[in-house]
Amino acid sequence: MAERRRFPSSELDPDLSSPTPPKRPKQAGDAESDDETEQEAEKSLETSEKLSSPEALPGTSSSGAGTSRPKELGGIKDVETTEESEEPVPDVGQVAGPSKQVEPMTSEKDEEPGTSSRIEVRRIMGRESTGEVQTSLMGEHALYQELSLIGNGAYGTVYKAKDLTSGQVVALKKVRVPLTEDGLPTSTLREIAALKQLERFEHPHIVRLLDVCQGNYLQLPSEDERSERVDRGLILWLVFEHVERDLASYMSSCSNGIPPEDVKRMSREIILGVDFLHSHRILHRDLKPQNLLVTHEGRIKIADFGLAKTYDFEMRLTSVVVTLWYRAPEVLLGCPYATPVDIWSVGCILAELSRLSPLFPGTSEGDQLDRIFQVIGTPSQDEWPENVSLSWTAFPHRQARPLRSIIPNLNDHGLDLIKNTLIFDPHSRITAAQALRHQYFVDESS
Amino acid sequence: MSREPSLLKSLDAQESISMLGINQERSDGGMNPTEPITNEALSSKMKDVIDVLAMQREKRNTLQKSITIDYTKANDNFTVSRFIFECGLKLDAHPLTIATAATLYHRFFKEAELQGYDCYLIGSTCLYLAGKVKDDPLKIRDVMNVSHNTLHRGSQPLELGDQYWSMRDAIVQAELLIMRMLKFQVMPDHPHKYMLHYLRSLQAWFGEEEWSKYPVSKTSMALLQDFHHSPAILDYPSNLIAIACINLSLQIYGVVVPLMDECDQQPWFNVFCKDLTRNKLWEIMEKIMAAYDDEPETRDN
């Protein structure tokens, strides 16, 4: 392992350090490459790749590799340098890394996969294009222009940006993923591929994932001296449609209450979205008003789903506290969980739509559970799961309170639906599909 | 799903076509009443038949032993797909993983020019990536060693040196490249699941006894798996490909779906796909058969 040679791109890829080169720079290296090939590939990719620059890809073809580069990254680059300066990375231009580094195996076929020739190639590339690089740092070719910072949540930083080709305002979500010797982690790869797969359905109550772009490589603070590569990461940019408001700010703007028919329609749309996710075997795990977007027409769109494991890595790098208010008891108790956790959260949100204040605003896991029991009553000792750290005896015995006293302005059917979502035993909880057939939604009068 | 090399099985299927023809000829001869059947005549007729069968068997046996493709000599779609299949089988990958790898490969080169990349690197990486996509983990080192050994027959496993790490780096980087090229859409909608559903329905329609007479399921699956050698698999919707494989398999064995005949107004497949025309179906079936044209086993000389 000691003799293993690493190729920190910082050292070898000066040619890539610019995010915004002029399109197709003419230079010695390119002369040898097959121009037709490149144009072809360029054309085919133009629609698909944005931040990650299609132009960089065809560079693999020959010694011209890597001289073309991600011009579009310009918009992001500003973000990088301002927001991420703590990352000790010469990374911005390395988006083009993959295409270039495919090179070595080209020679492998000729039984010459030797690193030496590879270094040679790279060094030449670097030398040739150094001058080029420095001239092209401007962002005029960027495909997305940053407008503002939306938030810095537990799940990474989100920017509001403009797609310069379509003019559409988008939300750029920056996700850091670990990059090991084995490449992208399987969980990340599967999650993102699954999200792309879901896009085919264009569900009306799910936020659109417009594009996925590969961003910069980064060095992560080393946890283990021995395995240097484990500490590498990669930024992925997820481009979502931008929706101005979330349900939390919508509710706070409705101090006079939301009309019952709107409450019912929004409740239904939330459950429709959740049912869609569940039928595609996706758990949201963190449904809350901040993750439910409200369009200008008042339509609900669910955001922030399907990346639980990808976010997991991101969350280890941040110390943002995640709200407990919508957590199901089995999650608070550390038990195995499944789709019913989302139903619990839906119940809390439905109640909040009528109350305009959170149902269980707990301050700690224990307090959260106690607040829950104050409403649904403490479960019997038989119902308490086995092998959990919090024992049943740790909680004072509470009697269930009628929901009518807590949510006075909701009709009986609505209360019954919420009651069925807030059942301690996850197996007894109503499912999304059942909820959609509930009398509350069948009944025309609100 | 069977893990046997599907190409070999489909070879059997192809032979069945000719065997059916031969049987036909023989029974025609036997039923002709004007020509008295002497033992001699029969045996001379039979002699040809037996010879053909024996020849085919012999040809197959020698071919199976002798054909090992030298992948360094070609990089056409068929050969690299065959490489993916060979490596996939050696790695004991699930058939769906191999099908995914081949699909990813064809999609990649639909976007990119073949001469721009080392297609065997892309092929190996597709296999590795497919393992992740299908949650059928293939170790990167295994993929590297198997690919390297298949490419350079008889070579030793890679030592942990510069060459090893360069190649490993190359695969990791190529994986990201493929992801980007394919817009992160790396979960294919396989024809397999449609096929399973259709075969189950047909099985129930035929009845267990009739269905078990012909290996329609196995042949359909082999045809489907082999079709992944051709980029044409990208050109048709998954459900239609599944139907075409089943229909071709039914034709191979001369099986007619019960209560339907060839000229039926509504053929069996219209139950599963209303708009599918016979012409379209034949077009796909011809593409499936054309996938075998590049197969060295079936080439003459």
Side-chain angles (χ1 to χ4, degrees):
Chain A
M1 294 292 257
E3 65 162 6
R4 158 181 7 147
R5 205 186 286 260
R6 297 226 32 229
F7 300 102
S9 326
S10 50
E11 188 182 297
L12 288 160
D13 305 333
D15 56 315
L16 294 171
S17 58
S18 158
T20 55
K23 193 165 180 169
R24 307 297 325 148
K26 270 259 184 294
Q27 45 182 278
D30 270 341
E32 286 166 45
S33 63
D34 187 336
D35 266 340
E36 262 177 53
T37 306
E38 296 187 345
Q39 276 163 15
E40 189 68 29
E42 204 171 305
K43 204 168 58 191
S44 61
L45 267 169
E46 224 138 44
T47 50
S48 67
E49 288 290 335
K50 291 178 179 172
L51 292 181
S52 48
S53 173
E55 281 78 4
L57 299 178
T60 357
S61 53
S62 70
S63 61
T67 48
S68 54
R69 71 197 116 272
K71 48 161 189 163
E72 298 89 344
L73 211 79
I76 299 307
K77 201 250 173 184
D78 301 335
V79 169
E80 274 309 303
T81 43
T82 50
E83 304 296 331
E84 291 290 324
S85 47
E86 80 277 5
E87 282 160 10
V89 222
D91 50 4
V92 182
Q94 291 173 30
V95 196
S99 58
K100 162 187 47 59
Q101 287 174 14
V102 179
E103 183 81 7
M105 241 218 183
T106 320
S107 50
E108 188 260 350
K109 212 175 111 197
D110 315 318
E111 309 219 11
E112 260 305 319
T115 15
S116 54
S117 65
R118 178 176 176 227
I119 295 170
E120 194 64 32
V121 169
R122 296 250 211 126
R123 207 180 47 219
I124 291 167
M125 276 159 30
R127 207 164 46 215
E128 277 174 349
S129 45
T130 342
E132 183 67 41
V133 175
Q134 304 307 327
T135 61
S136 49
L137 283 163
M138 308 304 289
E140 73 265 30
H141 291 294
L143 279 196
Y144 295 101
Q145 182 190 21
E146 186 202 339
L147 298 175
S148 61
L149 177 73
I150 295 176
N152 220 330
Y155 296 157
T157 319
V158 189
Y159 302 95
K160 183 177 170 182
K162 193 170 162 187
D163 181 338
L164 291 176
T165 39
S166 68
Q168 187 183 6
V169 175
V170 297
L172 292 181
K173 181 162 295 193
K174 183 165 116 181
V175 189
R176 282 173 282 205
V177 300
L179 195 61
T180 67
E181 299 172 338
D182 294 330
L184 280 175
T186 303
S187 57
T188 305
L189 197 148
R190 284 173 57 84
E191 285 182 345
I192 292 175
L195 285 191
K196 288 291 283 188
Q197 188 84 333
L198 275 193
E199 271 308 299
R200 295 184 303 152
F201 297 95
E202 296 189 12
H203 193 274
H205 303 301
I206 295 292
V207 74
R208 291 274 78 74
L209 172 64
L210 303 169
D211 202 355
V212 182
C213 304
Q214 185 183 320
N216 312 312
Y217 291 92
L218 35 94
Q219 305 288 329
L220 299 165
S222 182
E223 289 167 19
D224 184 354
E225 297 259 318
R226 284 168 302 165
S227 53
E228 38 184 334
R229 286 197 193 201
V230 179
D231 301 318
R232 282 177 70 202
L234 176 72
I235 288 181
L236 288 180
W237 291 92
L238 305 180
V239 185
F240 291 99
E241 70 175 315
H242 182 256
V243 179
E244 203 60 53
R245 244 185 325 189
D246 63 31
L247 189 60
S249 63
Y250 177 85
M251 286 191 294
S252 59
S253 71
C254 299
S255 48
N256 297 326
I258 304 171
E261 59 272 19
D262 284 351
V263 170
K264 184 190 280 194
R265 184 184 47 75
M266 287 180 153
S267 303
R268 184 161 176 274
E269 290 178 357
I270 295 168
I271 299 172
L272 277 170
V274 170
D275 179 48
F276 172 77
L277 292 179
H278 286 181
S279 63
H280 287 88
R281 300 194 291 179
I282 290 176
L283 279 194
H284 192 298
R285 297 210 311 184
D286 193 29
L287 277 172
K288 56 188 176 189
Q290 290 78 8
N291 284 336
L292 298 173
L293 307 178
V294 185
T295 67
H296 287 303
E297 297 79 34
R299 299 281 153 182
I300 296 282
K301 283 176 179 271
I302 300 181
D304 264 330
F305 53 89
L307 291 164
K309 285 187 173 149
T310 306
Y311 285 152
D312 199 45
F313 176 78
E314 182 76 37
M315 284 174 73
R316 277 193 274 130
L317 304 174
T318 54
S319 54
V320 181
V321 180
V322 179
T323 179
L324 300 169
W325 299 352
Y326 308 91
R327 289 264 154 107
E330 62 268 29
V331 180
L332 294 163
L333 288 168
C335 299
Y337 56 84
T339 51
V341 296
D342 288 340
I343 297 301
W344 180 277
S345 308
V346 166
C348 300
I349 295 166
L350 259 50
E352 196 168 332
L353 275 172
S354 292
R355 284 166 44 93
L356 293 180
S357 66
L359 185 59
F360 306 124
T363 52
S364 66
E365 264 97 345
D367 180 51
Q368 184 69 31
L369 280 166
D370 190 44
R371 282 172 186 269
I372 290 169
F373 298 152
Q374 285 177 36
V375 172
I376 68 168
T378 311
S380 69
Q381 196 157 9
D382 303 339
E383 286 180 81
W384 200 260
E386 289 172 20
N387 302 322
V388 292
S389 50
L390 283 162
S391 81
W392 181 75
T393 50
F395 293 91
H397 189 77
R398 310 278 189 188
Q399 289 293 329
R401 282 174 61 195
L403 280 174
R404 168 153 301 289
S405 65
I406 303 162
I407 318 167
N409 50 348
L410 187 62
N411 68 23
D412 287 344
H413 290 316
L415 291 174
D416 183 69
L417 174 61
I418 292 179
K419 188 164 181 254
N420 279 297
T421 61
L422 301 179
I423 294 174
F424 181 78
D425 173 21
H427 302 291
S428 311
R429 231 168 272 159
I430 196 168
T431 67
Q434 288 165 347
L436 289 171
R437 296 192 298 268
H438 191 272
Q439 194 61 39
Y440 176 55
F441 298 121
V442 176
D443 203 0
E444 276 306 310
S445 67
S446 41
Chain B
M1 211 174 297
S2 164
R3 283 176 183 244
E4 287 172 59
S6 51
L7 267 178
L8 299 184
K9 280 205 304 196
S10 56
L11 205 62
D12 284 340
Q14 283 219 325
E15 283 190 1
S16 311
I17 303 174
S18 39
M19 281 167 67
L20 283 174
I22 291 158
N23 288 336
Q24 194 65 41
E25 196 181 301
R26 186 176 56 185
S27 59
D28 280 347
M31 286 201 294
N32 190 341
T34 54
E35 191 183 306
I37 309 160
T38 63
N39 270 349
E40 209 172 292
L42 185 63
S43 73
S44 76
K45 267 189 183 294
M46 286 299 286
K47 191 164 160 265
D48 289 341
V49 173
I50 291 161
D51 276 352
V52 171
L53 286 175
M55 270 169 56
Q56 286 191 335
R57 206 176 303 122
E58 197 178 315
K59 189 182 173 194
R60 186 179 55 184
N61 284 339
T62 51
L63 279 171
Q64 276 182 5
K65 274 174 205 151
S66 66
I67 287 197
T68 38
I69 298 176
D70 183 355
Y71 292 109
T72 57
K73 295 279 193 294
N75 64 355
D76 56 284
N77 277 319
F78 178 87
T79 312
V80 185
S81 307
R82 179 69 177 263
F83 171 80
I84 292 173
F85 272 82
E86 184 175 336
C87 292
L89 289 167
K90 285 175 174 173
L91 287 162
D92 201 20
H94 193 277
L96 269 184
T97 306
I98 304 177
T100 303
T103 308
L104 293 175
Y105 179 83
H106 293 309
R107 279 185 56 209
F108 182 86
F109 281 112
K110 206 176 168 185
E111 305 287 337
E113 283 290 321
L114 199 59
Q115 58 267 38
Y117 301 88
D118 176 353
C119 51
Y120 288 100
L121 168 65
I122 300 297
S124 308
T125 310
C126 284
L127 199 51
Y128 179 57
L129 180 56
K132 288 186 181 178
V133 171
K134 286 283 148 193
D135 215 359
D136 173 24
L138 304 174
K139 289 201 182 99
I140 190 165
R141 194 168 175 184
D142 292 345
V143 173
M144 287 165 61
N145 276 322
V146 166
S147 310
H148 189 261
N149 190 271
T150 306
L151 214 46
H152 309 292
R153 308 235 182 232
S155 65
Q156 293 296 306
L158 291 160
E159 282 185 36
L160 286 175
D162 281 352
Q163 179 181 345
Y164 173 84
W165 288 108
S166 308
M167 206 186 289
R168 188 158 177 157
D169 247 6
I171 289 187
V172 168
Q173 297 297 346
E175 179 183 275
L176 286 169
L177 171 71
I178 296 168
M179 292 290 281
R180 285 165 58 198
M181 278 286 218
L182 303 184
K183 302 181 231 171
F184 289 76
Q185 278 165 332
V186 287
M187 275 187 186
D189 178 39
H190 289 292
H192 299 71
K193 61 180 177 190
Y194 298 96
M195 180 180 271
L196 178 67
H197 167 64
Y198 301 153
L199 285 173
R200 284 262 181 237
S201 305
L202 284 172
Q203 183 178 20
W205 184 250
F206 271 77
E208 204 54 58
E209 195 186 336
E210 186 67 14
W211 184 254
S212 60
K213 284 182 188 166
Y214 317 98
V216 172
S217 301
K218 278 193 157 189
T219 306
S220 305
M221 196 54 91
L223 290 168
L224 172 57
Q225 204 66 359
D226 290 347
F227 191 34
H228 285 82
H229 285 74
S230 163
I233 191 147
L234 305 179
D235 299 340
Y236 304 97
S238 293
N239 57 334
L240 301 192
I241 291 173
I243 289 175
C245 290
I246 296 172
N247 204 46
L248 182 55
S249 168
L250 291 171
Q251 299 278 342
I252 287 170
Y253 296 112
V255 183
V256 179
V257 178
L259 307 180
M260 301 196 177
D261 62 65
E262 281 291 298
C263 320
D264 210 318
Q265 284 302 308
Q266 195 185 9
W268 68 270
F269 46 82
N270 282 145
V271 174
F272 302 114
C273 181
K274 264 196 192 125
D275 314 322
L276 180 60
T277 61
R278 270 180 213 283
N279 284 346
K280 184 78 180 166
L281 185 63
W282 272 98
E283 181 191 324
I284 306 174
M285 285 162 65
E286 276 166 16
K287 289 280 172 62
I288 295 170
M289 289 186 272
Y292 295 92
D293 292 348
D294 296 321
E295 200 187 3
E297 281 87 341
T298 53
R299 275 184 210 147
D300 294 326
N301 78 37

